[in-house]
Amino acid sequence: MTSFDTSPQLNVWRALLALAVVFVMLATTGWTAVRNHRGPTPLQESRSAWEHGTIAGRKLPDADASPHRITHFFSSLGAQQRSRLVHRFPLAVGNMNGAPVRLRYAANRIALDQQRKVERARMHDDRLSAVGQREAGRLMHRFEALMRTDRQILAFDPEGSGRVAEVLGNLDRAQRISVVVPGVDTDLLTFQRTFRSYSAPVGMAKSLYAAERKAGPLTRTAVIAWADYTAPSGLGVEAATAMRAEEGAVRLNALVRALPGRSPVQLYCHSYGSVVCGVAARTLPSRVSDLAVAGSPGMRTGTAAGLRTPARVWAMRDADDWIQDVPYLEVGGIGHGADPVSRAFGARVLSAQGAKGHAGYFAPGTESLRNFAEIGVGAYRAVHCVHNDDVCRADLPGTASAGRA
């Protein structure tokens, strides 16, 4: 929740006001929403073209077919045929679960270039206001940055505020895969930041990837900066409910089920991202070994057991994180439930020493990042727990007894 990094007192009042607005909406409108009818999005157009396409006289499979079916289809093609599909349907292939990841990277680079040209033209469109032209310029530069040959873009959708996911490391060969799930105000323009870089998905993922390589230099890891869901914008109705989290949970589940290989997957869920992970938990495949939340407003459940997941559930919160002042409750769909770091919740509570507030959990040199990295490489004996009891270290692989390592 990057917009939450302002005055704690102000944010508490804003939270209460937002809840009041929600109750008024529920009472007066029956929780209805009116959407403007628009034409198909670029991704929808690409998928529609794919549905009517063929290759070597063969009909293309349904874009929503199972990852196994999609993988089998692409493996049956020659290199030139795969390249032809990438160039004909870049957005469809770039977002297709089950398509080879390197093919998705290539497809998304083409799609980004196409959108870069669109925004470059809009920069000089006299029909746009000066503000609109500047916004087009910001998007164009963001697309150019994402197009760099050293970047691996796993998903990209330019519609609205945009969605994107990036991979660090070799996803095909990784022995362990980490996924960073961010919170509110995450979109194409906030996906990466120069100032306070570790509060943005790319900075979080880069920091975690470097820490994992230091913690387990012999372990092949990959980290995904996953902003491929429509996050709430600011503190308001969407942030106070699970509406966006439910949509995000479907997409997160689809991502994990389409990842190559059988390596264990660890989820790192920050702020509202922990709501997404909480909603997704019961549907995630068994390869998700660990679910770690930081600065969580709740996970839509009263206890860790209520998540109904075989994954180990970890939680941390910095002592200076203002989110501890937000009421941990859920009434009529408003609020996100119990505090994940409370003893009653039952998660394994980790130290976040040095995190410096709500947005600092992935900053280098913090115990929060070090704990994340140890989980990421499977070095469970090295994690630092807040409570020196059996709960945090119970049934951990390679752990003979409870206590600090």
Side-chain angles (χ1 to χ4, degrees):
M1 288 184 174
T2 53
S3 68
F4 286 178
D5 299 331
T6 54
S7 165
Q9 293 82 5
L10 174 62
N11 280 303
V12 170
W13 281 110
R14 290 176 66 194
L16 293 175
L17 177 61
L19 291 178
V21 171
V22 172
F23 281 119
V24 170
M25 289 181 66
L26 285 168
T28 61
T29 71
W31 194 247
T32 60
V34 177
R35 294 182 179 271
N36 293 327
H37 292 286
R38 303 178 59 186
T41 69
L43 177 55
Q44 288 170 342
E45 289 180 342
S46 185
R47 286 169 57 92
S48 178
W50 169 277
E51 290 174 4
H52 296 91
T54 61
I55 188 77
R58 297 167 56 189
K59 190 177 185 306
L60 303 180
D62 189 331
D64 291 321
S66 70
H68 176 76
R69 170 77 178 89
I70 297 296
T71 300
H72 177 75
F73 167 73
F74 278 103
S75 66
S76 71
L77 303 177
Q80 288 187 339
Q81 292 175 318
R82 289 193 291 269
S83 177
R84 197 176 309 148
L85 292 177
V86 163
H87 284 83
R88 286 171 59 193
F89 315 106
L91 273 173
V93 176
N95 292 276
M96 194 172 294
N97 289 320
V101 292
R102 295 196 177 279
L103 215 59
R104 292 179 67 171
Y105 301 158
N108 284 320
R109 188 166 292 114
I110 293 171
L112 282 161
D113 187 43
Q114 292 175 346
Q115 294 302 312
R116 177 184 66 87
K117 292 173 181 175
V118 169
E119 298 304 327
R120 185 172 61 186
R122 293 180 71 243
M123 288 175 62
H124 307 288
D125 189 339
D126 293 337
R127 294 171 297 179
L128 294 180
S129 66
V131 172
Q133 291 176 339
R134 285 196 297 270
E135 187 77 0
R138 293 179 66 200
L139 282 169
M140 188 201 74
H141 291 304
R142 175 45 47 87
F143 295 154
E144 285 182 340
L146 292 171
M147 282 175 58
R148 285 200 332 244
T149 56
D150 62 333
R151 303 191 72 165
Q152 303 177 137
I153 305 305
L154 186 66
F156 167 61
D157 183 357
E159 180 64 14
S161 58
R163 296 194 295 252
V164 62
E166 181 174 7
V167 176
L168 302 174
N170 190 322
L171 199 56
D172 285 314
R173 298 184 65 247
Q175 295 170 305
R176 296 180 68 86
I177 300 172
S178 297
V179 181
V180 175
V181 183
V184 307
D185 287 338
T186 298
D187 55 32
L188 278 168
L189 290 176
T190 61
F191 186 56
Q192 184 172 5
R193 295 180 174 182
T194 301
F195 177 67
R196 300 179 74 247
S197 62
Y198 303 114
S199 67
V202 171
M204 293 177 179
K206 285 185 174 180
S207 184
L208 179 59
Y209 184 53
E212 287 182 348
R213 296 180 74 180
K214 181 178 179 181
L218 299 181
T219 303
R220 296 192 305 273
T221 63
V223 179
I224 302 174
W226 189 76
D228 193 26
Y229 81 105
T230 302
S233 178
L235 193 156
V237 173
E238 290 181 344
T241 70
M243 291 168 51
R244 293 300 188 189
E246 289 168 356
E247 298 168 1
V250 173
R251 300 184 67 83
L252 180 60
N253 188 29
L255 165 83
V256 175
R257 292 184 180 278
L259 291 175
R262 298 181 179 179
S263 303
V265 176
Q266 302 79 48
L267 303 183
Y268 300 89
C269 319
H270 177 243
S271 199
Y272 189 86
S274 68
V275 185
V276 177
C277 291
V279 174
R282 67 189 62 186
T283 61
L284 292 169
S286 59
R287 69 183 297 186
V288 176
S289 61
D290 298 89
L291 198 163
V293 302
S296 174
M299 300 181 72
R300 308 296 295 184
T301 183
T303 64
L307 294 171
R308 297 194 297 184
T309 174
R312 288 173 285 270
V313 180
W314 309 84
M316 65 170 68
R317 186 175 64 219
D318 180 63
D320 295 327
D321 191 336
W322 59 263
I323 208 165
Q324 63 191 303
D325 297 323
V326 173
Y328 284 93
L329 52 81
E330 189 274 319
V331 179
I334 312 302
H336 301 304
D339 183 354
V341 301
S342 67
R343 287 183 179 270
F345 189 82
R348 304 167 191 264
V349 182
L350 296 167
S351 170
Q353 186 174 352
K356 298 180 181 178
H358 188 66
Y361 291 97
F362 290 84
T366 60
E367 196 153 277
S368 50
L369 177 64
R370 195 183 75 82
N371 275 327
F372 281 163
E374 301 293 3
I375 292 170
V377 299
Y380 298 104
R381 288 179 62 90
V383 298
H384 286 186
C385 303
V386 169
H387 308 298
N388 192 21
D389 56 24
D390 292 338
V391 175
C392 186
R393 297 182 178 278
D395 303 317
L396 292 178
T399 303
S401 60
R404 275 176 77 97

